[in-house]
Amino acid sequence: MSKYIFLLFSIFIGNLVLGQGFQDKEFLKYRVHYGFLNAGFASLKVSETTVNGEPHFHVKGEGSSTGAVRAFFKVDDFYETKFHKYTYKPTEFKRKIREGGHRKNRVLTFDHKSKVVTINDLLGKSVTYERFDPPIQDMLSAYYYLRTKSNNDYKTGEYQSVNIFMDGEVFPFKLKVEGRERIKTKFGYINAIKLTPFVQSGRVFKAKESVTMWVSDDANLIPLKIKAELAVGSLEMDLHEYKNLKHSIDFR
């Protein structure tokens, strides 16, 4: 479940580094639900670190099912990325998930000079290598790369695209900016940018345009709400808690 939550974070990416809408100790938490049924929570926490003497951001993402959903489908997922503080290129990505009987535990190491990703499958006890040509992000670093842009760069009717490395492949995503709306949240009303990511239909989503996202129309560019029409039912995710945002946010 949370695989798609974190994927949804990452598929509305731009490709021009201008600024930075996040900082050390930022914390975001989201409630995932099917209608009135609480399905789980997902959170993202930022800290600063160094890798090989270079300054990096270290982000931990966690997702778990709760309540009645957990009784018949247990989910405990953990995602982690380290990306360069100034280039935003990912250095390492970890994904450890347990979703019902499905499990994965992999560590990805990125060599951007050689354009090679090393995939260490800790469950399968194997190491493989995949080459990439265009610039890539992992599932989690992509979301923060988005927030290096200005909200004014998201113009109605225009498209953005990005390449995300996931499950041993490079996935191209395209995003359409639908416009601006004022939406209601747990914290009050706020101006938001409405986005439609074009995703691969069939395995998860009903159609290529079955996901709608709203992000804050300000310097933070944080996701406020995500709605996805799945092959079975509809999933929604809403901002539940936030701390230490770099810029002020205008809920009313």
Side-chain angles (χ1 to χ4, degrees):
M1 177 186 68
S2 61
K3 166 184 175 179
Y4 305 113
I5 295 169
F6 291 116
L7 175 59
L8 293 176
F9 279 141
S10 66
I11 58 182
F12 51 93
I13 308 304
N15 52 21
L16 178 63
V17 177
L18 293 178
Q20 185 175 292
F22 55 92
Q23 64 180 354
D24 183 34
K25 295 182 174 58
E26 180 190 84
F27 177 79
L28 301 171
K29 186 175 183 178
Y30 294 85
R31 174 178 173 255
V32 184
H33 56 99
Y34 296 93
F36 293 105
L37 179 63
N38 189 33
F41 290 93
S43 64
L44 295 165
K45 185 176 181 179
V46 180
S47 61
E48 292 188 10
T49 189
T50 58
V51 178
N52 298 324
E54 292 290 326
H56 278 62
F57 283 109
H58 183 191
V59 180
K60 293 182 179 180
E62 298 183 56
S64 61
S65 55
T66 59
V69 172
R70 190 172 182 84
F72 64 85
F73 192 72
K74 186 176 181 179
V75 173
D76 288 297
D77 291 356
F78 177 78
Y79 294 78
E80 184 176 358
T81 184
K82 294 178 182 177
F83 57 92
H84 198 279
K85 187 174 181 179
Y86 303 115
T87 68
Y88 305 104
K89 292 180 179 180
T91 299
E92 182 182 74
F93 175 70
K94 296 181 180 180
R95 180 181 173 199
K96 184 178 181 180
I97 64 171
R98 178 177 296 204
E99 301 174 350
H102 178 64
R103 296 178 62 196
K104 281 188 178 181
N105 190 356
R106 294 178 178 176
V107 179
L108 276 58
T109 305
F110 296 84
D111 185 336
H112 294 276
K113 184 176 181 179
S114 300
K115 296 186 176 181
V116 173
V117 182
T118 301
I119 306 170
N120 187 355
D121 186 340
L122 299 178
L123 290 180
K125 296 182 179 180
S126 66
V127 178
T128 56
Y129 305 88
E130 295 290 341
R131 295 193 61 83
F132 63 90
D133 185 33
I136 59 173
Q137 296 287 330
D138 64 53
M139 292 170 59
L140 212 47
S141 68
Y143 160 57
Y144 290 88
Y145 183 45
L146 157 73
R147 296 172 63 193
T148 64
K149 295 197 68 174
S150 165
N151 56 315
N152 294 322
D153 292 319
Y154 289 84
K155 296 177 171 44
T156 301
E158 293 190 356
Y159 292 84
Q160 301 287 345
S161 60
V162 69
N163 293 303
I164 300 174
F165 191 88
M166 183 178 69
D167 291 335
E169 299 180 58
V170 177
F171 285 82
F173 285 94
K174 186 170 66 172
L175 175 80
K176 183 179 181 181
V177 182
E178 300 289 356
R180 262 71 176 173
E181 293 183 352
R182 191 162 180 82
I183 66 170
K184 184 179 180 180
T185 73
K186 171 184 175 180
F187 306 97
Y189 287 89
I190 187 172
N191 293 329
I193 305 172
K194 183 179 180 181
L195 307 166
T196 300
F198 286 72
V199 297
Q200 186 178 12
S201 61
R203 290 183 58 193
V204 183
F205 302 103
K206 282 186 175 180
K208 290 185 177 180
E209 300 177 54
S210 60
V211 180
T212 306
M213 311 175 66
W214 293 263
V215 302
S216 60
D217 190 5
D218 57 22
N220 294 299
L221 286 170
I222 62 170
L224 301 166
K225 182 181 182 67
I226 297 173
K227 184 175 182 179
E229 297 298 330
L230 306 181
V232 179
S234 176
L235 176 147
E236 294 189 27
M237 184 178 75
D238 296 285
L239 183 64
H240 184 73
E241 183 181 347
Y242 65 92
K243 297 177 183 177
N244 301 316
L245 297 184
K246 185 173 183 179
H247 306 283
S248 61
I249 190 163
D250 188 20
F251 289 111
R252 296 189 181 184

